[in-house]
């Protein structure tokens, strides 16, 4: 249940800046939310995560931005969302600091490399040259940086707080056991 709440909050994090008449530059909980959801859900439920994120893409494109919706423009992004859930289902079933750090880098860097490559390859914003690809990646750097920071911060909370709570509970239990022995 907690994983579904995190997924819903991740989806809402994409919408809230626009509801407040602002624009974010990729300050969302999507990366960490998908990492967490994937690590706490069965593999087939990655389809649920993709569907939730796809609905936010349709809403943002049609309602917020006022553009026509073309599914082909989102297939690579949705495939990455599904892949991230599947990756985290293996990588983060056992939570360690290094695994969470790896998940954070896989999430943000994978999205940056794969989705921006697709934007360059399938779009008409940049020339289809090596310089055009470089310009596409350079233009996306601020978004990548924000995604990396947001994914790292929220992942630290989502994956770290349960570990911290368990350690504190263990310490309290040990302290009580020590007191009863005295």
């Amino acid at each position: 249940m907690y994983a579904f709440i995190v997924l819903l909050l991740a989806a809402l994090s994409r919408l809230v800046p626009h509801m407040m008449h602002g624009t974010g530059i990729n300050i969302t909980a999507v990366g960490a939310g998908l990492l967490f959801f994937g690590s706490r859900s069965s593999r087939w439920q990655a389809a649920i995560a993709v569907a939730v994120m796809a609905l936010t893409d349709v809403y943002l494109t049609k309602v917020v931005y006022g553009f026509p919706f073309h599914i082909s423009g989102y297939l690579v992004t949705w495939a990455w969302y599904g892949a991230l859930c599947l990756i985290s289902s293996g990588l983060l079933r056992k939570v360690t600091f290094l695994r969470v750090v790896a998940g954070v880098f896989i999430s943000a860097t994978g999205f940056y490399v794969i989705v921006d490559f697709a934007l360059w390859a399938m779009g008409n914003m940049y020339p289809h040259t090596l310089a055009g690809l470089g310009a596409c990646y350079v233009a996306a750097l601020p978004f990548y940086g924000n995604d990396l920071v947001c994914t790292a911060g929220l992942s630290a909370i989502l994956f770290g707080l349960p570990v911290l709570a368990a350690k504190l509970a263990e310490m309290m239990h040990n302290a009580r056991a020590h007191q009863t022995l005295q």
Side-chain angles (χ1 to χ4, degrees):
M1 179 67 166
Y2 186 49
F4 284 95
I5 293 169
V6 169
L7 177 64
L8 179 62
L9 292 174
L12 288 174
S13 75
R14 298 184 72 201
L15 303 175
V16 168
H18 303 289
M19 291 175 181
M20 301 175 79
H21 305 291
T23 57
I25 54 171
N26 211 29
I27 298 177
T28 71
V30 172
L34 292 174
L35 284 171
F36 189 80
F37 184 81
S39 73
R40 300 294 191 269
S41 304
S42 61
R43 295 173 74 85
W44 71 267
Q45 289 177 323
I48 295 170
V50 172
V52 168
M53 292 301 147
L55 288 172
T56 63
D57 282 329
V58 171
Y59 176 80
L60 287 170
T61 302
K62 292 179 86 172
V63 176
V64 174
Y65 306 136
F67 295 135
F69 181 79
H70 302 289
I71 195 167
S72 62
Y74 293 92
L75 292 176
V76 172
T77 301
W78 297 342
W80 175 246
Y81 291 158
L84 184 57
C85 286
L86 295 175
I87 290 167
S88 66
S89 74
L91 179 67
L92 295 170
R93 282 286 175 200
K94 180 180 179 201
V95 176
T96 66
F97 176 78
L98 289 178
R99 286 173 179 250
V100 173
V101 169
V104 166
F105 278 100
I106 289 168
S107 173
T109 306
F111 184 85
Y112 171 73
V113 170
I114 293 167
V115 172
D116 288 316
F117 181 83
L119 174 70
W120 168 78
M122 296 186 300
N124 57 10
M125 291 178 60
Y126 300 97
H128 292 139
T129 63
L130 196 55
L133 178 60
C136 179
Y137 281 128
V138 167
L141 278 173
F143 298 94
Y144 169 64
N146 286 343
D147 187 25
L148 191 59
V149 169
C150 291
T151 302
L154 189 54
S155 291
I157 292 167
L158 290 172
F159 291 102
L161 283 181
V163 172
L164 179 62
K167 293 288 184 190
L168 289 174
E170 180 184 340
M171 286 172 45
M172 290 172 50
H173 175 74
N174 290 341
R176 281 189 209 140
H178 181 69
Q179 285 178 345
T180 57
L181 292 175
Q182 290 180 344

